[in-house]
Amino acid sequence: MPQVDNVDEFTRAVEDFMAGAPDKTRVCLKYRHCDSKLHMKVTDDTSVIQYKTSNVQDVKKVEKLASQTMRTMASK
């Protein structure tokens, strides 16, 4: 599974997934308190991308991306 290290790259990749097939895209968002890490995984059954972070600013960006993604999935 390819892991993206930059939150901006990850955001662009998720937007590409959503533009291609919003009805087949799935999102998994996990927070591990023991590691203080947020893990987000996005898949469309053919490819997977994931992003892990413990940086507070990145966590806020990922949280915003997750809510935006959920709105897009619900409206299509």
Side-chain angles (χ1 to χ4, degrees):
M1 281 188 256
Q3 183 166 336
V4 180
D5 295 327
N6 185 349
V7 72
D8 296 325
E9 272 182 48
F10 184 72
T11 302
R12 281 192 295 276
V14 170
E15 289 170 354
D16 290 343
F17 271 77
M18 294 304 295
D23 56 333
K24 293 185 179 184
T25 303
R26 292 177 301 177
V27 177
C28 178
L29 191 63
K30 226 188 310 189
Y31 179 74
R32 291 192 47 164
H33 183 68
C34 61
D35 297 341
S36 297
K37 286 195 175 200
L38 181 72
H39 179 229
M40 186 172 182
K41 182 165 76 170
V42 180
T43 183
D44 66 351
D45 293 332
T46 56
S47 56
V48 177
I49 54 170
Q50 57 184 351
Y51 180 70
K52 294 180 185 178
T53 187
S54 60
N55 187 349
V56 176
Q57 288 92 8
D58 289 348
V59 168
K60 290 184 184 208
K61 287 179 183 178
V62 169
E63 183 181 6
K64 183 179 175 184
L65 173 65
S67 72
Q68 184 180 24
T69 303
M70 295 303 161
R71 268 187 305 227
T72 303
M73 292 167 84
S75 68
K76 298 242 175 176

